[in-house]
Amino acid sequence: MILSALLTSVGINVALCFLFLILYTILRNRPSNAELYVPRLVAEGKLQEDDESGVGRFFSSLKWVKRAWQPTEDELLEHSGLDAVVFMRIFTFGLKVFRFAAIIGLCILLPFNYMGNQLNIDFTDLPNKSLETFSISNVDDGSNRLWIHFTAVYIFTAVVCYLLYFEYDYIASKRISCFYSSKPRPNQFTVLVRSIPVTAGRSFSESVESFFSEYYPSTYLSHSVVQRTGKLKELINNADKVYKRLVHLKSKNDTQQSSKRGCCLGIFGRKAELVDDYEKKLEDMEGNMRTERSSVAGKEVPAAFVSFKSRLSAAVVAHLQQGVKPTDWLTEPAPDPQDVYWPFFSASFLKRWICNVAVIFACVFITFLFLVPVLLAQGLTNLDQLETWLPFLSGILRLKIVSQVVTGYLPSLILEMFLSLVPPVMIVLSSIQGYIALSQIEKSACIKMLWFTVWNIFFANVLSGSALYRANVFLEPKRIPEVLAVAVPGQASFFIAYVVTSGWTKTFSSELFRLKRLIWSTLKGSLCCDSDDELEVPSNPYHKEIPRILFFSLLGITYFFLAPLILPFVLIYYCIGYIIYRNQLLNVYAPKFETGGKFWPVVHDATIVFLILMHVIAIGIFGLKKVPLASSLTIPLPILTLLFNSYCRRRFLPSFKGFPAECLINKDRLDHSDPTISSFYEKLATAYQDPTMEPLVYSEASESSTTPLLRGRS
């Protein structure tokens, strides 16, 4: 890609960013858009109307930036939890890393790259020159200037490792601090017991009661056996849908009694007849639900939530083998009641094993399938290749503005469009693997999405963009540094455009402006009648956002010494993301679960891998540039980085797997002086009841004696 094409891409994306920012600023304070742009404030009753109008209202709307910037980390912690704090620490970590990298890269490395003579730069026609003239590729082979790059790699690695250690230590201590300040929670006193052995003449509930009463007589408190409620849940969901339609029809009848046609262009017939039909359906569904609920008691699953009187007892049970047979009485820490993924419990061990195997094959299949849009995107970056494929477009492609848009903007846009389809698929695949908590599903999907992105967006683009795209390369480990050293620098311009398109523009359009949600709500309001659905406050999609943020970290780290021109674009992305995501966490997203910062080890490990990848590329680059001594002296760097990672894992990772006995005992001692602990124990007995087993309540909106019964909502 030439410099003018990159500038065209940057110009288009900057214009789109300003457009979305202006539209968001205008639409945000409209009362009709409150549920779209500040749903959390609406749900919490904290929405404040702005009395200003006209131009004053417009400039007043810009205060959202200040309001997003002002809250301290402690206020964010209180408002959104530790996971939100850790999420924002990813941005602050990136800002620290790439601020330092930009200073070194732009002030030192870039000028030396630019002054090289390897590519024979014509300074009179710079806009039409390849961006490789700003990369290490332009430094002369064997030049002593390469030792500056060598030194920069060592210094940069040391700085990143120091910052990683500081962040790991800070978040680990924050996790302990949050535990001490927290109120008693059900998951702190509860373990999940699976593979309960079958005993003749006893139910699973009786077996659990007998086992834990015998071996933990002084600390055992209560238990709740899991039941098969899949069919009952389906019945309740169907009843909820019918009930919402009935309420909607009744509200329309009250306001439009003279109307003879229903909503949505009248395709549902007369409203009065529909009301009778829906009421009859709900009567039948109510009977079916009662019948199914009465039969659920005998459909127990060999799994139970067992609660204890102290956190220490629960921790001991969770980490000790309970039975003589290691496959019986399997225990693990229980998730929070709101975090439990109930469908998992209905799956047998064999089914879970088959699903895990199927998920592996599905991930491999999706990975190879995604190579199609990758090859398409790479084809657009090469006009000669594109003209060979589509000769009838050769005339249009020769137009300067068209060629700049096609090569500079379209490839990254197409790739991002296809990539947006992957996160929901990863959530589905993770949900059938047997995880017991929504947070575990999201963390698993996050890891899948991260490595999918690294492979399909980075490696596939790097290798498909070179003549070295051959599978046998990976069968020759000695050649990997050489292959990467040749292929990676050549894709710098593509990834700069990708940062601008996927980072800048998508953050403004998808996150801040919420373009998809806006389009959907507009279409829904235009084609159908007003909806009476309850307001749903979304949660932060960590499985989608964390991999995307880390991918830009990968680009910044690997191209730090190869093509420093990418660094300001990455740094600007982290600045934009910091403000926008703080705004979203405060006004849009509500926490669906709390892991206590368990996403940070994923961030740490990924950053270590990115550093090692940079080292491998450096070894290859210095070898190709005929500085073998520098190449040899770089070899210890990945080894030292792995040793540092090993130390961090031993030092901090145990704190993320569970809390130490010292903390548990101290917290248990504080409970002795807590007057509310007895009432907490009483609530603990029913904390892990399946939501589908909650009692039904009558709707107050209906005047009929046949009012449908609905599940109570918290």
Side-chain angles (χ1 to χ4, degrees):
M1 185 188 301
I2 60 176
L3 182 60
S4 58
L6 174 63
L7 294 177
T8 301
S9 176
V10 172
I12 293 174
N13 284 282
V14 168
L16 289 174
C17 289
F18 275 106
L19 175 63
F20 288 127
L21 178 61
I22 293 172
L23 290 176
Y24 172 78
T25 304
I26 294 173
L27 298 176
R28 184 181 190 272
N29 280 358
R30 289 189 177 181
S32 59
N33 294 324
E35 293 186 1
L36 177 65
Y37 292 120
V38 285
R40 183 170 183 178
L41 296 184
V42 174
E44 296 175 352
K46 298 179 180 179
L47 182 64
Q48 298 179 353
E49 295 290 340
D50 195 343
D51 296 331
E52 295 187 46
S53 59
V55 178
R57 185 184 181 94
F58 174 79
F59 285 105
S60 176
S61 300
L62 288 172
K63 291 180 181 178
W64 69 266
V65 177
K66 182 180 179 181
R67 288 193 291 266
W69 178 278
Q70 280 182 333
T72 63
E73 188 175 273
D74 290 336
E75 292 173 338
L76 181 62
L77 176 64
E78 182 181 357
H79 190 264
S80 298
L82 185 57
D83 284 338
V85 171
V86 170
F87 182 74
M88 293 311 303
R89 296 296 295 191
I90 302 175
F91 282 99
T92 56
F93 172 75
L95 288 171
K96 293 175 184 176
V97 168
F98 296 113
R99 181 176 57 192
F100 172 80
I103 294 173
I104 300 298
L106 297 180
C107 298
I108 299 176
L109 300 181
L110 186 64
F112 282 108
N113 295 342
Y114 186 73
M115 290 186 294
N117 298 312
Q118 188 72 17
L119 301 179
N120 297 319
I121 304 174
D122 182 5
F123 294 98
T124 61
D125 192 23
L126 190 59
N128 293 319
K129 291 300 179 183
S130 171
L131 291 178
E132 287 189 74
T133 55
F134 298 93
S135 71
I136 197 173
S137 301
N138 193 46
V139 180
D140 298 336
D141 292 346
S143 173
N144 289 329
R145 294 175 179 173
L146 291 169
W147 286 101
I148 298 175
H149 295 76
F150 168 84
T151 305
V153 169
Y154 261 89
I155 295 175
F156 180 70
T157 301
V159 170
V160 173
C161 288
Y162 168 77
L163 293 174
L164 278 174
Y165 181 88
F166 173 81
E167 292 294 332
Y168 221 150
D169 184 44
Y170 178 82
I171 295 172
S173 62
K174 201 75 173 178
R175 177 176 160 84
I176 298 296
S177 176
C178 289
F179 173 74
Y180 273 123
S181 62
S182 66
K183 295 180 179 180
R185 299 176 62 87
N187 62 305
Q188 297 173 355
F189 296 81
T190 307
V191 299
L192 171 64
V193 182
R194 294 187 293 176
S195 298
I196 302 172
V198 178
T199 304
R202 277 187 177 182
S203 65
F204 288 126
S205 180
E206 293 171 341
S207 297
V208 172
E209 179 78 24
S210 174
F211 182 87
F212 287 97
S213 296
E214 178 180 356
Y215 295 106
Y216 300 93
S218 61
T219 57
Y220 168 70
L221 182 64
S222 62
H223 73 277
S224 177
V225 176
V226 182
Q227 297 168 323
R228 299 183 188 275
T229 58
K231 184 177 179 181
L232 178 60
K233 184 177 181 180
E234 183 179 353
L235 291 173
I236 292 177
N237 289 338
N238 292 335
D240 283 344
K241 293 177 183 178
V242 174
Y243 175 70
K244 289 178 181 179
R245 294 173 186 169
L246 177 61
V247 170
H248 182 71
L249 284 172
K250 284 187 175 182
S251 66
K252 289 300 178 183
N253 274 340
D254 293 339
T255 57
Q256 300 176 0
Q257 292 182 0
S258 61
S259 174
K260 296 184 179 181
R261 301 177 65 188
C263 64
C264 292
L265 305 180
I267 62 174
F268 294 114
R270 296 182 62 86
K271 292 182 180 179
E273 296 175 358
L274 282 175
V275 168
D276 294 337
D277 290 341
Y278 282 137
E279 287 182 344
K280 182 65 172 64
K281 284 182 181 180
L282 282 170
E283 287 184 33
D284 297 337
M285 288 180 174
E286 178 187 350
N288 293 336
M289 285 188 291
R290 286 174 175 168
T291 302
E292 179 63 23
R293 181 172 282 105
S294 63
S295 65
V296 160
K299 298 179 179 179
E300 294 181 337
V301 175
F305 291 98
V306 182
S307 299
F308 297 84
K309 297 178 182 178
S310 68
R311 298 173 181 82
L312 181 63
S313 299
V316 170
V317 173
H319 294 93
L320 283 182
Q321 179 180 321
Q322 300 300 312
V324 176
K325 291 184 179 180
T327 55
D328 289 343
W329 300 105
L330 301 178
T331 58
E332 58 184 288
D336 200 67
Q338 289 77 22
D339 193 21
V340 175
Y341 182 65
W342 293 101
F344 151 75
F345 294 103
S346 298
S348 64
F349 172 80
L350 179 61
K351 184 178 179 180
R352 293 198 306 271
W353 181 82
I354 293 174
C355 288
N356 273 283
V357 175
V359 166
I360 294 174
F361 282 102
C363 289
V364 174
F365 174 75
I366 294 172
T367 299
F368 281 102
L369 185 65
F370 199 80
L371 291 177
V372 176
V374 169
L375 293 174
L376 175 62
Q378 281 298 324
L380 291 176
T381 62
N382 191 326
L383 277 182
D384 294 335
Q385 187 177 5
L386 190 60
E387 290 178 359
T388 302
W389 290 352
L390 305 172
F392 59 91
L393 294 178
S394 58
I396 299 177
L397 294 175
R398 290 298 177 185
L399 297 176
K400 185 174 181 180
I401 184 63
V402 173
S403 65
Q404 290 176 351
V405 171
V406 169
T407 60
Y409 180 70
L410 283 184
S412 53
L413 178 63
I414 291 174
L415 209 56
E416 183 57 34
M417 289 174 60
F418 279 97
L419 187 62
S420 64
L421 303 175
V422 181
V425 176
M426 293 303 181
I427 280 287
V428 172
L429 293 178
S430 296
S431 66
I432 64 176
Q433 284 189 273
Y435 291 108
I436 64 170
L438 298 172
S439 58
Q440 293 175 351
I441 292 173
E442 190 136 352
K443 184 179 177 182
S444 174
C446 175
I447 295 173
K448 290 186 180 68
M449 194 64 202
L450 173 61
W451 300 120
F452 176 90
T453 305
V454 170
W455 172 254
N456 284 279
I457 306 299
F458 183 77
F459 284 108
N461 275 284
V462 163
L463 297 177
S464 63
S466 69
L468 297 167
Y469 188 60
R470 296 191 299 269
N472 60 357
V473 165
F474 296 96
L475 301 178
E476 305 176 45
K478 293 182 179 180
R479 293 196 57 208
I480 292 178
E482 175 189 347
V483 171
L484 294 176
V486 173
V488 173
Q491 293 300 310
S493 55
F494 170 81
F495 285 125
I496 292 175
Y498 185 82
V499 170
V500 176
T501 302
S502 177
W504 298 6
T505 306
K506 186 170 183 180
T507 303
F508 272 103
S509 64
S510 179
E511 275 303 319
L512 185 65
F513 191 58
R514 306 192 75 193
L515 181 60
K516 293 180 182 178
R517 292 277 185 176
L518 178 63
I519 294 174
W520 168 245
S521 62
T522 303
L523 291 176
K524 191 175 181 181
S526 301
L527 299 179
C528 298
C529 295
D530 295 334
S531 174
D532 293 325
D533 293 344
E534 295 179 0
L535 172 64
E536 272 190 53
V537 181
S539 61
N540 192 5
Y542 294 112
H543 69 285
K544 180 175 66 175
E545 299 305 329
I546 290 179
R548 194 154 66 96
I549 298 168
L550 290 178
F551 181 73
F552 297 129
S553 178
L554 164 67
L555 297 181
I557 290 174
T558 52
Y559 281 99
F560 158 68
F561 76 104
L562 296 176
L565 193 61
I566 198 174
L567 295 174
F569 296 95
V570 175
L571 186 60
I572 291 173
Y573 164 75
Y574 276 95
C575 293
I576 293 172
Y578 180 80
I579 293 296
I580 289 180
Y581 279 101
R582 279 180 70 93
N583 175 76
Q584 302 301 87
L585 290 172
L586 294 170
N587 301 321
V588 178
Y589 297 133
K592 182 170 58 176
F593 52 78
E594 178 61 55
T595 69
K598 289 186 177 180
F599 282 97
W600 182 257
V602 177
V603 178
H604 176 93
D605 292 342
T607 307
I608 292 295
V609 173
F610 301 160
L611 284 175
I612 293 175
L613 178 60
M614 179 189 70
H615 301 154
V616 173
I617 296 173
I619 293 171
I621 280 286
F622 294 138
L624 289 176
K625 286 292 183 179
K626 300 179 181 179
V627 190
L629 181 58
S631 181
S632 301
L633 292 177
T634 308
I635 293 176
L637 199 51
I639 300 174
L640 294 173
T641 304
L642 288 174
L643 290 175
F644 164 78
N645 184 52
S646 177
Y647 172 77
C648 287
R649 291 178 66 85
R650 291 177 179 272
R651 170 68 176 81
F652 301 115
L653 190 57
S655 298
F656 287 81
K657 293 182 177 179
F659 294 102
E662 178 184 352
C663 297
L664 297 174
I665 294 171
N666 289 335
K667 193 69 174 172
D668 287 335
R669 287 173 178 170
L670 293 175
D671 287 344
H672 295 318
S673 59
D674 187 354
T676 64
I677 194 65
S678 58
S679 61
F680 171 77
Y681 286 152
E682 294 175 2
K683 296 178 182 178
L684 191 57
T686 58
Y688 286 93
Q689 182 180 359
D690 193 326
T692 58
M693 298 300 294
E694 293 179 5
L696 300 176
V697 295
Y698 283 98
S699 169
E700 298 177 358
S702 176
E703 299 175 358
S704 172
S705 60
T706 59
T707 301
L709 293 174
L710 288 180
R711 175 167 53 89
R713 295 183 179 87
S714 57

